[in-house]
């Protein structure tokens, strides 16, 4: 039985990855922040299953800021694979919390790499990198060779973690891999990311609990996939013969406005009556033309996204309407 260690296990990606690994008969260990008290909704179903919880799934309280709190469960687990997913992952918030973002997202990755290197038998290491490392690139679509040139504090912190992962791979011989992840969504997405924010608000409007949806730049475009596809990519990247960086993306661009229209349509409402843009949600800098080329992942890992943008928003809307109206 293989053992995996996941940071950020309570998040969207962490919870889907835990499910995937458990289904592959891994023993899964994850760390959660004291502040959540291990009560995050994304893991509730796994914690409620006595066949799984504390038999093949183990959760440990730890903080990325506190190396010792991670070292103890990591050494106990002695994993075959580490998936480092935890970070301060909100790009907009990174402009307000610049130092904290660099500490958690940038230095956090370095701490995990250093802990990994010092384990008696170094496990394979996955770092969740981001398309934000490219900033607003001149080359479109982006792939593993696109120059790193972040324009947001979050992107800069991820660029640090990405480059450190490469340095540890080259200089310390670690099987360390960056998955350069473009936007990926699901009903488990955090509430302040734009897809979930829109879907939640539309369901609340449908239920008569809200009157409007206030957004930032609705002309902004992203390459949006589904989180379940991307965690499969993470696993495949660690099963490959050699440690390589991989872009995971759909290669398709959509606008925030497209999400708005799909979400309101799913609820049978006219978006024009409810949506407003406000400066508060515009970012000081927002990457343009963020679109990925995942040809390397397709060629070497046989990975490609299976869930479309339309299916993703439909699944998210179904979950929100069910939560609010029991539809
Ligand atoms: P992003 O995701 O910043 O791309 O980072 P987010 O969903 O926050 O924004 C996507 C785009 O929508 C625009 N936008 C808004 N965004 C939010 N959150 N709220 C709004 O009201 C709003 N209005 C318009 C944004 O400006 C942006 O253009 C995500 C995160 O998951 C990162 O951690 C990850 O690394 C990258 O994707 C790839």
């Amino acid at each position: 039985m293989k053992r995996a260690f996941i940071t950020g296990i309570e998040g969207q990606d962490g919870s889907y990855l835990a499910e995937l690994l458990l289904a592959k008969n891994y023993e899964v260990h994850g760390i959660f922040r004291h502040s959540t008290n291990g009560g995050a909704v994304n893991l509730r179903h796994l914690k409620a299953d006595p066949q799984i919880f504390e038999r093949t799934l183990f959760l440990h309280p730890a903080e990325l800021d506190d190396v010792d709190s991670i070292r103890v469960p990591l050494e106990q687990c002695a994993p075959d694979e580490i998936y480092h997913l935890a970070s301060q992952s909100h790009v907009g918030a990174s402009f307000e919390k610049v130092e904290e973002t660099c500490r958690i997202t940038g230095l956090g990755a370095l701490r995990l790499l250093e802990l990994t290197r010092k384990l008696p038998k170094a496990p394979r290491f996955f770092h969740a990198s981001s398309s934000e490392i490219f900033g607003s690139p001149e080359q479109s679509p982006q792939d593993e060779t696109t120059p790193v040139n972040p324009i947001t504090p979050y992107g800069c912190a991820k660029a640090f973690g990405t480059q450190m992962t490469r340095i540890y791979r080259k200089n310390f011989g670690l099987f360390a891999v960056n998955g350069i992840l473009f936007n990926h969504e699901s009903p488990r997405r955090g509430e302040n990311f734009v897809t979930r924010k829109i879907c939640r608000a539309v369901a609340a409007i449908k239920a008569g609990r809200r009157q409007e949806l206030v957004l930032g730049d609705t002309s902004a475009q992203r390459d949006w996939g589904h989180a379940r596809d991307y965690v499969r990519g993470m696993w495949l990247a660690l099963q490959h013969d050699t440690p390589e960086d991989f872009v995971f993306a759909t290669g398709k661009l959509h606008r925030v406005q497209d999400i708005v229209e799909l979400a309101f349509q799913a609820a049978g409402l006219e978006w024009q009556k409810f949506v407003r843009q406000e400066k508060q949600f515009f970012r000081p800098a927002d990457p343009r033309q963020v679109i990925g080329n995942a040809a390397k992942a397709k060629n070497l890992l046989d990975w490609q996204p299976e869930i479309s943008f339309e299916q993703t928003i439909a699944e998210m809307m179904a979950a929100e309407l069910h939560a609010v109206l029991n539809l």
Side-chain angles (χ1 to χ4, degrees), residues 129-259:
S129 178
S130 162
S131 52
E132 282 280 318
I133 65 173
F134 300 132
S136 284
E138 282 167 20
Q139 173 189 332
S140 228
Q142 296 88 51
D143 62 23
E144 296 79 5
T145 64
T146 303
V148 172
N149 186 21
I151 61 167
T152 63
Y154 168 83
C156 195
K158 277 289 179 194
F160 174 86
T162 304
Q163 198 58 22
M164 276 297 177
T165 300
R166 292 173 178 161
I167 288 170
Y168 272 62
R169 176 165 75 216
K170 280 220 175 87
N171 296 289
F172 301 124
L174 270 193
F175 192 111
V177 162
N178 287 299
I180 305 170
L181 307 165
F182 284 60
N183 298 54
H184 47 286
E185 318 297 309
S186 77
R188 299 184 190 173
R189 190 55 148 143
E191 290 168 12
N192 51 5
F193 295 93
V194 79
T195 51
R196 181 89 192 280
K197 177 177 169 179
I198 293 170
C199 293
R200 263 174 68 85
V202 173
I205 291 170
K206 179 77 178 172
R209 294 188 195 162
R210 274 179 72 160
Q211 279 70 49
E212 63 173 5
L213 165 58
V214 185
L215 291 168
D217 183 3
T218 54
S219 72
Q221 295 184 314
R222 287 288 184 278
D223 176 335
W224 276 290
H226 194 297
R228 270 201 303 271
D229 280 333
Y230 289 51
V231 302
R232 184 164 41 82
M234 296 175 188
W235 177 75
L236 285 169
L238 286 198
Q239 311 315 305
H240 191 57
D241 299 341
T242 49
E244 311 261 351
D245 294 344
F246 292 99
V247 159
F248 294 105
T250 70
K252 297 195 178 102
L253 267 186
H254 291 94
R255 299 165 307 153
V256 172
Q257 178 64 23
D258 298 328
I259 306 168

Side-chain angles (χ1 to χ4, degrees), residues 28-320:
V28 176
H29 291 250
I31 55 172
F32 65 90
R33 301 181 67 185
H34 290 98
S35 54
T36 70
N37 218 5
V41 285
N42 292 336
L43 291 180
R44 224 173 252 168
H45 60 297
L46 296 177
K47 288 181 72 176
D49 187 338
Q51 296 302 320
I52 291 178
F53 191 48
E54 295 190 341
R55 296 186 84 168
T56 51
L57 171 67
F58 300 87
L59 300 177
H60 313 272
E63 300 291 328
L64 279 187
D65 256 356
D66 174 2
V67 180
D68 286 328
S69 73
I70 304 173
R71 180 183 295 120
V72 173
L74 188 59
E75 286 178 355
Q76 274 172 5
C77 169
D80 301 287
E81 296 169 7
I82 295 181
Y83 296 86
H84 178 47
L85 312 182
S87 76
Q88 189 304 94
S89 61
H90 198 277
V91 179
S94 78
F95 286 95
E96 305 301 321
K97 308 180 202 172
V98 179
E99 197 187 314
E100 183 185 325
T101 302
C102 291
R103 220 176 51 236
I104 304 288
T105 303
L107 266 186
L110 171 58
R111 289 193 180 117
L112 259 293
L113 283 162
E114 189 57 17
L115 284 172
T116 303
R117 178 168 85 90
K118 290 192 173 145
L119 286 171
K121 183 176 152 284
R124 294 188 168 197
F125 182 91
F126 178 89
H127 174 239
S129 178
S130 162
S131 52
E132 282 280 318
I133 65 173
F134 300 132
S136 284
E138 282 167 20
Q139 173 189 332
S140 228
Q142 296 88 51
D143 62 23
E144 296 79 5
T145 64
T146 303
V148 172
N149 186 21
I151 61 167
T152 63
Y154 168 83
C156 195
K158 277 289 179 194
F160 174 86
T162 304
Q163 198 58 22
M164 276 297 177
T165 300
R166 292 173 178 161
I167 288 170
Y168 272 62
R169 176 165 75 216
K170 280 220 175 87
N171 296 289
F172 301 124
L174 270 193
F175 192 111
V177 162
N178 287 299
I180 305 170
L181 307 165
F182 284 60
N183 298 54
H184 47 286
E185 318 297 309
S186 77
R188 299 184 190 173
R189 190 55 148 143
E191 290 168 12
N192 51 5
F193 295 93
V194 79
T195 51
R196 181 89 192 280
K197 177 177 169 179
I198 293 170
C199 293
R200 263 174 68 85
V202 173
I205 291 170
K206 179 77 178 172
R209 294 188 195 162
R210 274 179 72 160
Q211 279 70 49
E212 63 173 5
L213 165 58
V214 185
L215 291 168
D217 183 3
T218 54
S219 72
Q221 295 184 314
R222 287 288 184 278
D223 176 335
W224 276 290
H226 194 297
R228 270 201 303 271
D229 280 333
Y230 289 51
V231 302
R232 184 164 41 82
M234 296 175 188
W235 177 75
L236 285 169
L238 286 198
Q239 311 315 305
H240 191 57
D241 299 341
T242 49
E244 311 261 351
D245 294 344
F246 292 99
V247 159
F248 294 105
T250 70
K252 297 195 178 102
L253 267 186
H254 291 94
R255 299 165 307 153
V256 172
Q257 178 64 23
D258 298 328
I259 306 168
V260 167
E261 290 175 19
L262 284 172
F264 276 95
Q265 198 179 28
L269 297 169
E270 284 176 49
W271 67 268
Q272 292 89 340
K273 293 186 179 157
F274 305 99
V275 177
R276 188 160 63 76
Q277 294 185 72
E278 206 168 83
K279 280 277 164 272
Q280 169 196 356
F281 295 109
F282 281 66
R283 300 193 179 155
D286 201 12
R288 296 274 143 193
Q289 288 301 313
V290 186
I291 177 167
N293 172 3
K296 183 178 173 188
K298 183 166 190 321
N299 292 337
L300 296 189
L301 306 178
D302 197 21
W303 178 89
Q304 52 186 338
E306 289 169 0
I307 309 169
S308 72
F309 172 74
E310 290 77 12
Q311 285 170 322
T312 304
I313 302 302
E315 184 189 337
M316 293 179 73
M317 271 313 296
E320 296 302 336

